[in-house]
Amino acid sequence: MRCNIATTALYSIVLKCFFLLPFGLNISCNKYENKKQEVVSLPVGKWKIIQLKNRHQNIVFDSTRTYILDFSIQNNIKLFAEDNNLSGKLIFINKNSFKLENSTITDVCCNSEAAKLLFAFFDNTIHYKQDEDKLILLNNKTVVTLEK
């Protein structure tokens, strides 16, 4: 009985894919072959964080310290702070927002207040836009400005 069901299913697939298509019927053998997937990525490379503001435009951090955010081609990020680093995988929600998945933070020493804010920033959904040589990341509380 099993062979008959498998043979019938195979025959149906062969019939649809090979015999009906030449007659102009729009039947797809692969349900995903007609869907185009939009490629979404952030600008790859190292970006220097130049400003961290809350949504009320109060500057929380300026460029007196160097914090680097590195976007890889595999959609991984790494944030380099004074002593500790945050890393994770970007999961795109749409073409202008992402979440960080599987994030880890090293615990070498003490985090500055700015580093704590930056690490916490990546706990939420992040929206982004690129404006010439600047990249702006924002969530519901904070705006982070970066430059190449």
Side-chain angles (χ1 to χ4, degrees), residues 42 71 75-77 88-92 98-101:
L42 282 164
F71 295 98
N75 288 329
N76 293 315
I77 69 162
K89 175 92 173 149
L90 299 176
I91 303 299
F92 290 94
F98 65 88
K99 291 182 102 171
L100 194 60
E101 186 175 83

Side-chain angles (χ1 to χ4, degrees), residues 63-87:
S63 60
T64 56
R65 293 188 177 181
T66 301
Y67 297 94
I68 302 293
L69 189 58
D70 188 8
F71 295 98
S72 77
I73 198 156
Q74 296 86 13
N75 288 329
N76 293 315
I77 69 162
K78 193 160 195 173
L79 170 61
F80 299 93
E82 295 96 356
D83 295 315
N84 295 306
N85 301 320
L86 170 126
S87 60

